[in-house]
Amino acid sequence: MTGRICGTGSALPHLLVTNDDLSKIMDTSDEWISSRTGIKTRHLATEETTTGLAVEAAKKALEDAGITAEELDLIIAASVTADYLFPTLSCEVQGAIGAVNATAFDLSAGCSGFLFSLATAQAYIQSGICKKALLIGAEVLSKIMDWEDRSTCVLFGDGAGAAVVCADEEGIRSIIKGSDGAKGMALNCKNRPVNNPYQKNQAELSYTYMNGQEVYKFAVRTVPQCIEEVLQNAQMNAEDVDYFIVHQANIRIIEAVAKRLKQPMEKFPINLTECGNISAASVPILLDTVNRRGMMHRGDKIVLAGFGAGLTWGAAALTW
Ligand code: UT7
């Protein structure tokens, strides 16, 4: 038995903000953002919450999979911007959709969160612990951005993606993941400071910090390596792959991956142009877009890859 992705869903906030809109409130330009990253617009939450977006994506994924919430026995949500420290986002989703037979927990692995969730669900399925899992990547990153730091806030967006993974004969052929905690501070956001009767701190809010060039170098080195490794484990060649669904951080990173794998950019669907970087939600949102456009057919070979805070990375090779 292996895990097979049998349904996808996604949700985006209604407000669409262009690069030109941002250039009216900070010292930036469409020219800088487009040429350095490929990003043109991003959806930003106004009324929407991380939980609300996650629930909408989850309901669509269940409908696409043709199963009820009661059939789920596992829910994993990956997010760095859940609405509450507790209860977890996954428990909130469980309550909202009525998945009364599921165990729900959250997983934090930055932008690799969806790949880490997929690897966890796969281990549960292969060991017989569960048969039907709901995986969610959901972020409202705009709430942890410093809107006076143009080097980070223009890059990120908000949204949620979800996938149902069921035990089946065919599906995930290989999945790998890794982390390098020694480089963690290259991309960080502090939690609340200690503040108790014995250690008084001025409670200052922390926002996202990124050493863009360090993360960029890490990504162009690590992503092709982990895709090559997962393909080798799955006994597949890059030429066999129909689509590479890669974390959407920067078009130049994706172009570098395509070049290193000697594969055409047509095999790399893109949504960062519209959505920017949505961390753990980026891969499942793109997967849902490609699925709903009818671009994937049963039997197609797909590679998923994520990378980001931690630093972390992961890749999966699967049959659709
Ligand atoms: O999902 C997590 C993974 N994250 C990533 O993969 C991100 C990886 N890194 C990157 O994609 C790129 O490093 C960035 C897009 C973040 C930055 O591109 P860069 O080519 O590395 O630019 P830079 O940081 O070296 O900045 C170049 C210049 C600086 O000006 P000076 O010092 O050369 O005068 C910045 O101040 O661009 C300036 N700059 C901006 N200018 C206009 C930085 N942000 C902006 C901005 N608008 N928004």
Side-chain angles (χ1 to χ4, degrees), residues 27-29 32-33 36-37 111 150-151 154-156 187 210 212-213 215-216 219 247 249-250 252-253 277 307-309:
D27 182 16
T28 191
S29 63
W32 191 95
I33 302 171
R36 302 264 174 160
T37 71
C111 305
R150 65 179 183 171
S151 70
V154 303
L155 307 172
F156 295 91
L187 178 47
M210 180 167 71
Q213 292 188 1
V215 178
Y216 188 95
H247 172 51
N250 188 323
R252 292 189 292 144
I253 293 175
N277 179 346
F307 60 92

